[in-house]
Amino acid sequence: MEVENPNPIMNNELVPMEDTQPIETEMQLDLLDPEANHSEELTPSIVEQQPTKRRKKKSLVWEHFTIETVGVGCRRACCKQCKQSFAYSTGNKVAGTSHLKRHIAKGTCPVLLRNQERNNQSTPYSAPPKMSSFTDAPKRRYRTAASVPYLSFDADRCRHEIARMIIMHDYPLHMVEHPGFVAFVQNLQPRFDMVSFNTVQGDCVATYLREKAIIQRVIEGVPGRICLTLDLWPSSRTIGYMFVSGQFIDTEWKMHRKLLNVIMEPYPESDTAFSHSVAACLSDWNMDGKLFSVTINQPLNDAAVDNMRALLSVKNPLVLNGQLLVGNCLARSLSRIVEDAVISVHGLVEKIRDSVKYVKTSESREEKFIEVKQQLQVPSSKTLAIDDQTRWNTTYEMLLAASELKEVFSCLDTTDPDYKDAPTGEDWKQVETLCTYLKPLFDTANLLTTAATPTTNSFFHEAWKIQLELARAATSEDPFLSTLTKSMQENFNKYWKSSCFILAIAVVMDPRFKLKLVEFSFSKIYGDDSASYVKIVDDGIHELFLEYVALPLSLTPAYAEAMNGQSVNSEDPQEIGSNGLGLTDFDVYIMETTSQLAKSELDQYLEESLLPRVHEFDVVGWWKVNRRKYPTLSKMACDILSIPVCTVPAASVFDTVRKEMDSYRCSLRPETVEALICTKDWLQSEIVEAPTTTQVKVEVPI
């Protein structure tokens, strides 16, 4: 008579860890039950003579099977659930238990499978989640049944993960119907019913709606205003897709940048395309009255600007008569300038590219190049690389590396007679000149590629230096330099004229510089006319401050504390009595009716001494610390410092070719396209939590 193993769960015996993967190999089965004997020899006579000394069966299989004798020397294992029988022993040979475990683990027992699904349980022989070592697997992969619950196969969870996979990796929705993928999933988990295109599309939209609700709550709690960026993607179907992103500072004084909408524009070249997208975004996110500025990726014609301002004048009050509502993307502007500069010296760049290509496309030639470099003891640590002409930073880096290794190129023909058409000395001189004037553009663009979101003030330093250097070089007597930089200066001047006011009021909000840096830089750029330009900035910052004072929402110290999620009572017990007497309302009355009192807050800030210039400075953090001293000005500063100067993500800053919506996504419903792209942006921001503001290193000679 067989002695069945007691219930291991009741006795707190060791059981395999939970997992939903089926058992595939004999070795995995042995790891799950190292005590089982899969090849033992059992003599029937010994069993009959000494039944009490037989080793007790410890395998969990015997909870589900009994042994029945079907003939002389032949016994079979019978499933307690479905009554199927399996070979166990014939003569002196025992079949083992691996095939019995498969019957349980793979869910082929119909009765056990129904019971498990009814009770929401998994099979007792689910494989371990990871086999790192066969030697220590039995010790590491076992837990007591009391401490490790069984996990069931969850079809809904699988659907959710498939939707996330498609979103995160830009896989086509139709992949769930591809035969290869269907076969893979069925072999991975036969119990999963593969979803259809329509089902996974609905799952992706459902994921989008869940994530959108989270973002919506964040936006609703933003104490200040929100800045938008518009990036228009064309397509081969003459339909445009407007990427609308929002940038803002939350109640914790942290900078956020979120992709809010991807809106299909049937007529992207029309004068109303941009204004329509802005209106749709404001309506979708309930942001009427909260818009502060708009940054776009291309210049607008007068009709388009008028349409946008007319719309916004109805949707929300204008700020400074619309001067902050239209800007230009800094990354796009820099790319256009560099592209035009490279085209103007195309022959020179092509000659350098051919030389680099000659070296890099052959291992033997590259070895010769390195040998010559070592013989000449050239100190450069630069590495040659063929550029990607769709990313201008690679072209700049190729030219810079080649320029530092020019001596090697000049002597390469002595060891390699096949190397011809080497650049001349004049060519290298022109390359060095080109790199000199591309460097400030490269450094500025690099600020846009940081993981953190840079504040607006940091770009004033870069912009005015570029404007000044290009203006000086354009008047040079060197014909090559003047020709090169004249076109660069003309292109950058367009950006400077449209954005210098926004950049200037942003640097005024930096307590290290305030209005002094504006006065200094404008004197270098405009000379005797600088005073009039400084006055425009000074008047604008005061006018904007008065508009903040006149806002319906009070900007008292109590409100400033509420912005930071704190109560006044918890900070200063002395204010309890004044609040209880209603003096807070009196403060509001004074702020709203006495412009001189409100204005003095800004004047006090401007008249105070500048902070020491340190290499790293968190300007938003400074305003957070000084929010009590400047309750109104700190709120205005946060809105100004959150104005984005770039409309494209960090990965696209150096692109020379505009992004285009692919044909597959154009074939999907616009709502689905928006759900896929926006959700990916939100999920990625959850995975990578970067610092919220960039501490920019600056040194300005004042």
Side-chain angles (χ1 to χ4, degrees), residues 55 87 98 115 126 161 190 265 293 433 555 688:
R55 182 170 60 87
S98 298
N115 292 338
S126 297
E161 291 301 329
E265 291 293 344
S293 72
T433 300
L555 295 176
V688 181

Side-chain angles (χ1 to χ4, degrees), residues 165-455:
M165 176 189 69
I166 289 174
I167 291 170
M168 290 296 294
H169 303 289
D170 296 326
Y171 295 145
L173 293 172
H174 286 85
M175 74 174 295
V176 297
E177 296 178 349
H178 293 171
F181 184 71
V182 173
F184 168 74
V185 173
Q186 288 302 312
N187 280 278
L188 195 65
Q189 177 50 266
R191 297 167 59 189
F192 180 65
D193 293 330
M194 197 60 201
V195 295
S196 65
F197 166 82
N198 290 332
T199 301
V200 76
Q201 180 177 236
D203 291 344
C204 291
V205 173
T207 304
Y208 161 76
L209 294 176
R210 286 194 299 269
E211 296 296 327
K212 183 178 181 180
I214 299 174
I215 305 297
Q216 181 74 63
R217 288 193 293 270
V218 174
I219 291 179
E220 289 174 354
V222 173
R225 295 184 179 182
I226 298 175
C227 304
L228 296 182
T229 68
L230 303 179
D231 189 16
L232 180 61
W233 286 27
S235 71
S236 59
R237 302 188 178 188
T238 68
I239 294 175
Y241 290 84
M242 193 76 71
F243 285 61
V244 185
S245 299
Q247 191 160 302
F248 54 87
I249 295 177
D250 66 8
T251 56
E252 300 296 326
W253 297 76
K254 296 179 179 179
M255 185 83 78
H256 292 269
R257 183 184 177 95
K258 302 290 184 183
L259 179 62
L260 301 179
N261 294 99
V262 178
I263 302 170
M264 186 189 73
E265 291 293 344
Y267 305 99
E269 303 299 329
S270 68
D271 297 335
T272 60
F274 285 89
S275 58
H276 170 263
S277 295
V278 172
C281 178
L282 296 179
S283 175
D284 185 28
W285 293 90
N286 193 25
M287 293 194 303
D288 287 352
K290 300 193 72 172
L291 181 62
F292 187 65
S293 72
V294 175
T295 305
I296 60 176
N297 69 334
Q298 63 188 48
L300 295 182
N301 56 40
D302 294 339
V305 172
D306 292 341
N307 285 331
M308 182 174 291
R309 289 181 174 173
L311 169 69
L312 296 175
S313 64
V314 176
K315 290 291 184 180
N316 62 279
L318 287 175
V319 178
L320 292 181
N321 297 321
Q323 295 184 61
L324 305 182
L325 292 178
V326 177
N328 282 315
C329 174
L330 177 58
R332 298 285 192 193
S333 299
L334 294 177
S335 294
R336 285 192 291 265
I337 294 170
V338 174
E339 190 175 9
D340 290 345
V342 171
I343 291 176
S344 67
V345 290
H346 173 73
L348 174 65
V349 174
E350 194 64 31
K351 183 179 292 187
I352 303 299
R353 183 180 290 121
D354 288 342
S355 293
V356 174
K357 191 185 302 183
Y358 178 83
V359 173
K360 295 297 294 184
T361 53
S362 170
E363 292 185 5
S364 60
R365 290 196 291 263
E366 188 169 9
E367 290 175 357
K368 292 180 181 179
F369 187 87
I370 295 175
E371 290 177 3
V372 174
K373 177 185 175 183
Q374 293 173 346
Q375 292 173 1
L376 296 175
Q377 298 182 349
V378 178
S380 176
S381 60
K382 298 290 185 181
T383 302
L384 289 178
I386 303 174
D387 65 327
D388 176 1
Q389 297 186 50
T390 64
R391 294 181 59 81
W392 67 265
N393 61 313
T394 63
T395 302
Y396 166 73
E397 291 167 345
M398 178 191 71
L399 294 173
L400 186 63
S403 177
E404 292 189 9
L405 297 170
K406 61 183 179 181
E407 296 179 15
V408 184
F409 280 104
S410 300
C411 298
L412 185 60
D413 57 354
T414 59
T415 59
D416 187 354
D418 293 331
Y419 177 62
K420 301 176 181 179
D421 298 327
T424 64
E426 184 64 24
D427 290 336
W428 289 119
K429 182 180 178 181
Q430 293 179 355
V431 169
E432 291 176 356
T433 300
L434 177 61
C435 290
T436 299
Y437 287 93
L438 289 183
K439 185 180 187 303
L441 306 183
F442 175 79
D443 293 341
T444 302
N446 257 337
L447 290 177
L448 299 171
T449 63
T450 58
T453 304
T455 50

Side-chain angles (χ1 to χ4, degrees), residues 17 129 156 226 252 292 299 319 341 465 485 694 697:
M17 287 184 64
D156 291 337
I226 298 175
E252 300 296 326
F292 187 65
V319 178
K465 288 186 292 185
T485 55
T694 296
K697 296 181 179 180

Side-chain angles (χ1 to χ4, degrees), residues 455 507 657 689:
T455 50
V507 83
V657 179
E689 288 293 336

